[in-house]
Amino acid sequence: EVGPTMVGDEQSDPSLMSFLGATKRNMLGNHFWEYYVNDAPRIVLNKLESCGYRVVSMTGVGQTLVWCLHKE
């Protein structure tokens, strides 16, 4: 997969979003905000691993991949 990668919503930790280099946006037609980065998922997952997160599960939803992470 290549970027952009969705990394959070309006309730996400601002300091973590800053660490990831995420930008907050609202897509036309959505009633919520989301954070995204232009990095590929593997880059984002490597950054999160350096912060103590680990992948618990992963699944596909249509053409979207979803990772569930847990912080040690």
Side-chain angles (χ1 to χ4, degrees), residues 5-70:
T5 302
M6 301 307 135
V7 294
D9 61 18
E10 64 265 14
Q11 303 298 318
S12 297
D13 178 5
S15 62
L16 181 59
M17 295 299 105
S18 177
F19 171 76
L20 294 174
T23 303
K24 192 175 183 181
R25 71 177 178 187
N26 177 267
M27 298 294 287
L28 183 63
N30 289 346
H31 300 287
F32 57 89
W33 291 80
E34 61 191 9
Y35 283 96
Y36 77 100
V37 295
N38 286 321
D39 295 331
R42 65 181 173 80
I43 303 292
V44 174
L45 292 170
N46 286 342
K47 286 181 179 180
L48 289 169
E49 182 180 32
S50 75
C51 292
Y53 289 89
R54 66 181 174 88
V55 174
V56 175
S57 65
M58 180 271 206
T59 190
V61 180
Q63 294 183 353
T64 302
L65 297 175
V66 179
W67 285 270
C68 180
L69 283 76
H70 175 73

